[in-house]
Amino acid sequence: MNEIPRYIIDIETGADFRAVQEFLPPYPAFDPSTVATGNLKDPEKIQAKIDASANKHRVDEQKHIDDFRDGAALHAWTGEVLAVGIQLPTGEQRIVHGDERDILSNTWAYLEQAMGDYHQIVGFNIKDFDIPFLVRRGWRYGIRPPVHFMSKDRYLHSSFIDLRDKWAVGEFRPKGSLDTV
C-alpha cells in the first residue's frame, strides 16, 4: 500500500500571566449599600449581613479571576505556545520548545516543508485551534506563516487534515474532545 507521508502535530499552550493581568475583565467593587437587610433593626445583625455579603463578594471575585486564568491558555491573546509536538513521516518525534518566537519559527519551518512536499499535516482540531493559535501568536512577534498555508480563499492548505472534521462526519459543529473521541 502506498501511503501518503504525514506530519502529526499537536500544540501545548499555557497562560501568559502578563496578558492575563492586562486582559482580566474588572470585577465590580463591593458596595455595602446594595446589601438587602430587610426588616433588620439591630446594627450588629445588619453589619453581620454586610460582612457576610462582603466575604461572598471576595470569594466570587477570586472565582472570576481563577476562571479567567483557567481559560487563558485557550485564547491567543492571553495564552502562549509552550511546545509543539511533531511526528515526522519517518516516525521520528520532535518536541519544539524554548522561547515562543523560536517555537513558532521552527514549527512553521516544519509545516512549510510538509506543504512543499505535499505531505499531510494531521492533528485533532488543528483547523479551529492549533493553526489559528499559531498564526495569532506569530502576529505578536511579526512571524508570518508560510505563504501558501491558506488557499486563495479562507480555507487552509489542502495538506491539513483535521481528525475532528473526520469524526464529525459532516456535522457543522462537531462535539467531543480528543480524549472523548
Side-chain angles (χ1 to χ4, degrees):
M1 183 170 144
N2 197 1
E3 194 171 304
I4 297 172
R6 291 185 179 97
Y7 285 68
I8 299 171
I9 181 173
D10 186 39
I11 71 171
E12 295 303 320
T13 63
D16 176 345
F17 290 106
R18 290 181 309 259
V20 167
Q21 289 303 111
E22 180 180 345
F23 290 103
L24 178 67
Y27 196 75
F30 176 69
D31 181 0
S33 69
T34 63
V35 177
T37 57
N39 294 329
L40 293 176
K41 303 287 186 230
D42 183 353
E44 288 180 8
K45 288 183 181 178
I46 292 171
Q47 189 58 50
K49 188 159 186 179
I50 291 171
D51 292 346
S53 184
N55 286 335
K56 183 182 179 327
H57 184 271
R58 279 190 288 280
V59 168
D60 291 348
E61 182 176 23
Q62 189 58 53
K63 183 178 180 337
H64 166 77
I65 293 167
D66 293 344
D67 288 350
F68 187 78
R69 283 185 183 151
D70 289 347
L74 301 177
H75 304 285
W77 58 91
T78 54
E80 62 184 335
V81 179
L82 301 177
V84 177
I86 300 175
Q87 181 174 307
L88 304 177
T90 61
E92 180 184 353
Q93 296 176 351
R94 302 260 172 96
I95 304 293
V96 183
H97 59 90
D99 178 71
E100 188 179 28
R101 290 174 201 253
D102 294 338
I103 294 170
L104 294 166
S105 295
N106 292 332
T107 299
W108 284 124
Y110 278 114
L111 299 183
E112 185 170 33
Q113 177 70 42
M115 287 183 289
D117 293 341
Y118 298 100
H119 294 173
Q120 292 179 339
I121 302 165
V122 180
F124 188 86
N125 203 28
I126 60 173
K127 289 182 179 179
D128 287 336
F129 182 73
D130 298 54
I131 300 305
F133 199 100
L134 292 170
V135 170
R136 291 175 182 136
R137 289 305 291 179
W139 289 341
R140 177 177 183 174
Y141 303 109
I143 298 170
R144 294 183 178 179
V147 173
H148 302 293
F149 95 101
M150 291 187 79
S151 59
K152 292 180 182 177
D153 52 22
R154 65 186 183 103
Y155 297 103
L156 292 177
H157 188 274
S158 61
S159 293
F160 290 96
I161 307 296
D162 193 325
L163 296 176
R164 191 172 199 190
D165 286 348
K166 301 297 182 193
W167 170 255
V169 194
E171 281 184 306
F172 176 65
R173 287 282 180 206
K175 304 223 181 337
S177 67
L178 179 57
D179 289 339
T180 303
V181 172

